[in-house]
Each structure stands twice: as structure tokens, then as C-alpha cells.
């Protein structure tokens, strides 16, 4: 802000007047003000008091002991399932089956083919692999009569809740991955006629619970890993079919085999050493097919096998049987397939065997037979390789035949049934000698013995 000149002039005039009328000496000079009193320094702050030391720490109290374990809940009775109130079933049998099937489904650990995908809802008769029929005790009641899970590739333990399916007539689960032991509740299936557990992963001892199934007719446990002893009661069961082959059973051959009424029996590929018991002849009239290959049989074939007059298949190949073929085989008039290959049998093959009316396949390769009748060569399927038969192709080396045939044989030495000792074998009727060539002058051959009596066919 700019001050005007007139104002500045007035101010200067007033100042001069004051100085003229009031000289400086006329003023009473004030004493200088006393110096200000210095404030005392503030008192020092009180020293900070240290907090009291904490009381000595005590060890933490031990944790309270855990409460005693509560007893396990009692098992839920299998015969009294409790469905949700919203579920309804046409019959009590289907209600029970529902819980048995869903117990099976819940135990499945792998179902790569989704075989049980439609096991939903209460209409169990529509489930895949489930077959319903009228109940055996009341034709007006529909019940689950069969389970067919063949080739489903399911992995699961065998469910103990199988007893809910009390009306089952057949249970087929071959070619899966079931494991574990068969539960004792399986014995509750009093109508079960067919049990097929083949080609699974079962192991352990023979599932003895099957011996308690009163209606069982078809038992198939082949291609598993069962081991141990075969129970003698197995051959007392009133079965139609028994397949136990390709397991790991290791026990003496069952000597009560002849007590069995089973028409179809396969025991192959187990370890059942011993003799074929003579009481096999007791199966006359019932036995139709028996396969005992590769089980470790020793001894001689008992002549009682000729009593199996209804047998169509008799296979004892891949064993260690010795002796000759019993002439009594000619009585097996229904025989279609006879296989004695890969044993240690010797002697001539009786012509009457190859003359059986229905014989189509006769395999006797890899033995030590020394002669065969021409009739055997006319069969549709026969195999005589690796024997000691002169003038036939693909036979054993002569020195091997001589060494084996020179060993005397007594069928009684095996501890089996009493069989007359074999007479000496005659030399081959024709063809080159089995003896190695000699550089010495041949001596006259002794007269040949007559044919052994066991090679004469029964009239």
C-alpha cells in the first residue's frame, strides 16, 4: 500500500514539535528491568520402578488321563436291516436283497466298467447282473434268485452281507478281483445251487464253508490261490460239478475219491501226490469226466478204472504213472477222450482200447510204449510221439529206451493196491532193434516170451 506524501509531511512536523517542547533530559529514565529470574531446573524424573519379578514358573500340570475306550457298538444284525421310511418294496425278500446288494456295492473298491452304475433305487430286479424269479417257497413272491457278475473286473472283498440274499440259487463272479475269505454267513444260503468263484484273487485254505451248503451242485473255485489240504468231506458232497484246478493245494491225493458221486471233476494243476485209489471203480454209473493232469500221481493205473463204464473223458496226463495200460479200459465203452501223455508208461498198447466204439482222441505221447496196433493210427486224433515204438517218427533215442526199460518195475512198491508184478517185456515184433549196434558176432536171440497177459483183451 502506498502512503501519500501529505501524510508523511504531517507526521514529520509532529515529531519535531515533540522534540522541541519535551527535551530528552526531562524524561525520567526507567531503570532497566531486572534480569529475569532463572527458573530452577526441573526436578529429575523419578527413576522408573522395575516391575516385580514374576513368580517362579511351575511345570504345567500333566494332561488328564484319556477316557477309557468305549466298547465297540454291537454288530448290527444282518437279518434286521432298517430302510429309510421313504423306501418301499413289493416284498420282504426284495427289501432284504436291496440291503445285501448295496452292501456289496459299497464294498467295491474298483469298478472300471461301471458294471454297478445302475444299482440305484428299489427296483433291484432291474439292476445289471441281477435276476429275479419266483421264490422257491412261494411262487407268488418275486425274489432275487441269481447274481451274475462274470467278467465285470470288479475289485472287492467278499461281502458278509451276502446272507441278506437268502433266496439265491446261483452266484457267479468269475473273472473279477474278489479277495478275502468266504464269510461264515454264506452257509445261510440254503437254496444256493451254483457257486462260481473262478479266476479271482482268493487265497488261504480251502473255503470249508461251502461244505455246509445243503443245495450246492456246482462248485467252481479254479484259477485262484487256495492252498493247503483238500478236506475229505469235499468228495462226500452230492455235487454235479467240481472244478478246483489251478490252485496251490498241497496234500496227498484223496483216497476217498471213490465215494464221490460227482459226474464232472477237474483236479488238475495242483500238488496232490499219491496213487490213484482202486476205489475209483465205485464211481461207476456216475462219473462222466475226470481230469487229474499234473497233480503228481505216482504208481500204476489200477485196473478198476475199467469199471467207469459211463466215463467219456479220462485224463491223467503230465504225471509220473508207471506200468502198462490196463486191459480193463476196454470196458469203458462210452470213452471219447483218453489222455495218458507225459508219464512213464511202458509196454504194448492193447488193441482193444483203440477199438472202443466212441474213442476219438487217444494221446499217449512222451511215454515208453514199445508197440501200438495199426488200429490206433486210424483214430481221428492220436499222438504217439516220443515213445519207443519202432518204425514210427519222432521217437525217443534207443539208448534212452533201453536204459528205462531195463529197470524192473513192481507196482506194489509204490504202496498202492496190490497189483501182480509186470512180466518181462518181449522184444519188439518188427523194426530195428533198440540195442545199439555191436561189432561182435550176434548171438542167437532167445525165444521171445509170449505177450503179457495184461495185454490180452477181455472177451
Amino acid at each position: 500500500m502506498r502512503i501519500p506524501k501529505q501524510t508523511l509531511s504531517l507526521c514529520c512536523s509532529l515529531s519535531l514539535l515533540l522534540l522541541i517542547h519535551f527535551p530528552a533530559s526531562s524524561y525520567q529514565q526507567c531503570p532497566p528491568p531486572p534480569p529475569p529470574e532463572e527458573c530452577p531446573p526441573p526436578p529429575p524424573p523419578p527413576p522408573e520402578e522395575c516391575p516385580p519379578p514374576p513368580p517362579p514358573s511351575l511345570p504345567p500340570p500333566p494332561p488328564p488321563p484319556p477316557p477309557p475306550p468305549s466298547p465297540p457298538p454291537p454288530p448290527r444284525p444282518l437279518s434286521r436291516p432298517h430302510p429309510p421310511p421313504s423306501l418301499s418294496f413289493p416284498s420282504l425278500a426284495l427289501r432284504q436283497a436291496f440291503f445285501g446288494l448295496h452292501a456289496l456295492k459299497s464294498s467295491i473298491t474298483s469298478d472300471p466298467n461301471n458294471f454297478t452304475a445302475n444299482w440305484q433305487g428299489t427296483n433291484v430286479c432291474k439292476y445289471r447282473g441281477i435276476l429275479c424269479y419266483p421264490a422257491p417257497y412261494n411262487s407268488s413272491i418275486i425274489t432275487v434268485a441269481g447274481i451274475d457278475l462274470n467278467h465285470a473286473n470288479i475289485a472287492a472283498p467278499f461281502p458278509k452281507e451276502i446272507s441278506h440274499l437268502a433266496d439265491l440259487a446261483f452266484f457267479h463272479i468269475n473273472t473279477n478281483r474278489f479277495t478275502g475269505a468266504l464269510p461264515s454267513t454264506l452257509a445261510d444260503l440254503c437254496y444256493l445251487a451254483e457257486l462260481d468263484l473262478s479266476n479271482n484273487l482268493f487265497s488261504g485254505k480251502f473255503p470249508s464253508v461251502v461244505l455246509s451248503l445243503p443245495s450246492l451242485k456246482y462248485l467252481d473255485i479254479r484259477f485262484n490261490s487256495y492252498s493247503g489240504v483238500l478236506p475229505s468231506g469235499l468228495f462226500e458232497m452230492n455235487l454235479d460239478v467240481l472244478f478246483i484246478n489251478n490252485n496251490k493245494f498241497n496234500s496227498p491225493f484223496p483216497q476217498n475219491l471213490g465215494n464221490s458221486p460227482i459226474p464232472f471233476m477237474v483236479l488238475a494243476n495242483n500238488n496232490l501226490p499219491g496213487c490213484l485209489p482202486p476205489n475209483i471203480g465205485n464211481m461207476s454209473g456216475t462219473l462222466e469226466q475226470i481230469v487229474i493232469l499234473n497233480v503228481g500221481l505216482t504208481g500204476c493205473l489200477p485196473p478198476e478204472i475199467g469199471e467207469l463204464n459211463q466215463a467219456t473223458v479220462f485224463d491223467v496226463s503230465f504225471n509220473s504213472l508207471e506200468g502198462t495200460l490196463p486191459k480193463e479200459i476196454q470196458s469203458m465203452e462210452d470213452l471219447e477222450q483218453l489222455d495218458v501223455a507225459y508219464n512213464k508208461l511202458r509196454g504194448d498198447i492193447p488193441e482193444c482200447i483203440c477199438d472202443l466204439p466212441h474213442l476219438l482222441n487217444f494221446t499217449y505221447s512222451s511215454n515208453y510204449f514199445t508197440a501200438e496196433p495199426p488200429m490206433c493210427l486210424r483214430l481221428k486224433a492220436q499222438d504217439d510221439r516220443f515213445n519207443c515204438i519202432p518204425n514210427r517218427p519222432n521217437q525217443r533215442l534207443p539208448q534212452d529206451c533201453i536204459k528205462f526199460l531195463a529197470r524192473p518195475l513192481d507196482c506194489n512198491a509204490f504202496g498202492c493196491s496190490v497189483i501182480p508184478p509186470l512180466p518181462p517185456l518181449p522184444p519188439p515184433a518188427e523194426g530195428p532193434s533198440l540195442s545199439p549196434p555191436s561189432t561182435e558176432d550176434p548171438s542167437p536171440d532167445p525165444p521171445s516170451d509170449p505177450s503179457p497177459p495184461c495185454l490180452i483183451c477181455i472177451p
Side-chain angles (χ1 to χ4, degrees), residues 374-459:
M375 183 176 294
C376 293
L377 303 178
R378 293 196 292 266
L379 293 172
K380 292 183 178 180
Q382 64 86 224
D383 188 355
D384 65 355
R385 295 173 299 166
F386 303 105
N387 279 285
C388 301
I389 304 173
N391 300 322
R392 289 295 298 165
N394 302 316
Q395 299 297 298
R396 294 182 184 272
L397 295 175
Q399 54 267 33
D400 294 338
C401 292
I402 292 171
K403 181 179 179 180
F404 180 83
L405 296 174
R407 181 170 59 88
L409 175 67
D410 182 3
C411 290
N412 299 322
F414 296 99
C416 306
S417 61
V418 177
I419 301 176
L422 293 175
L425 291 173
E430 57 184 31
S433 172
L434 295 179
S435 302
S438 175
T439 58
E440 301 178 357
D441 292 335
S443 58
D445 292 330
S448 60
D449 295 331
S451 297
C454 62
L455 300 181
I456 299 175
C457 296
I458 301 172

Side-chain angles (χ1 to χ4, degrees), residues 187-407:
D188 297 337
L189 306 183
C190 58
Y191 300 109
L192 188 64
E194 298 182 11
L195 180 60
D196 185 355
L197 310 178
S198 59
N199 199 20
N200 276 280
L201 302 176
F202 293 112
S203 60
K205 297 180 179 180
F206 180 88
S208 58
V209 66
V210 303
L211 304 178
S212 303
L213 295 171
S215 302
L216 194 64
K217 294 294 182 182
Y218 180 101
L219 177 60
D220 188 351
I221 61 172
R222 56 186 161 167
F223 292 100
N224 280 287
S225 296
Y226 286 119
S227 59
V229 178
L230 283 178
S232 59
L234 177 63
F235 300 97
E236 309 287 343
M237 296 183 70
N238 189 24
L239 297 174
D240 291 334
V241 176
L242 174 63
F243 293 148
I244 63 171
N245 53 290
N246 294 83
N247 277 281
K248 299 178 181 179
F249 292 117
N250 183 11
S251 65
F253 194 85
Q255 294 302 297
N256 66 333
L257 177 69
N259 297 343
S260 176
I262 304 174
F264 301 91
M265 183 184 303
V266 182
L267 313 180
N269 296 318
N270 285 288
N271 186 25
L272 309 174
C275 302
L276 197 61
N279 62 16
I280 190 174
N282 297 343
M283 304 174 77
S284 171
T286 58
L287 183 64
E288 297 184 31
Q289 297 184 13
I290 185 167
V291 180
I292 325 176
L293 70 90
N294 191 31
V295 298
L297 284 176
T298 55
C300 299
L301 283 171
E304 288 82 359
I305 63 175
E307 300 175 19
L308 304 175
N309 54 5
Q310 292 191 9
T312 60
V313 175
F314 187 83
D315 188 343
V316 289
S317 59
F318 291 89
N319 285 291
S320 297
L321 295 168
E322 300 197 32
T324 61
L325 281 180
K327 61 186 182 298
E328 289 81 3
I329 293 178
Q330 71 164 351
S331 300
M332 303 171 68
E333 295 186 349
D334 289 341
L335 197 60
E336 300 175 4
Q337 178 177 329
L338 175 61
D339 195 341
V340 296
Y342 290 90
N343 279 285
K344 300 176 182 178
L345 300 172
R346 61 173 73 188
D348 292 3
I349 295 175
E351 183 175 352
C352 50
I353 294 179
C354 297
D355 198 26
L356 287 169
H358 301 289
L359 188 62
L360 300 175
N361 188 327
F362 184 18
T363 304
Y364 46 96
S365 59
S366 297
N367 280 283
Y368 292 89
F369 291 115
T370 53
E372 62 184 337
M375 183 176 294
C376 293
L377 303 178
R378 293 196 292 266
L379 293 172
K380 292 183 178 180
Q382 64 86 224
D383 188 355
D384 65 355
R385 295 173 299 166
F386 303 105
N387 279 285
C388 301
I389 304 173
N391 300 322
R392 289 295 298 165
N394 302 316
Q395 299 297 298
R396 294 182 184 272
L397 295 175
Q399 54 267 33
D400 294 338
C401 292
I402 292 171
K403 181 179 179 180
F404 180 83
L405 296 174
R407 181 170 59 88

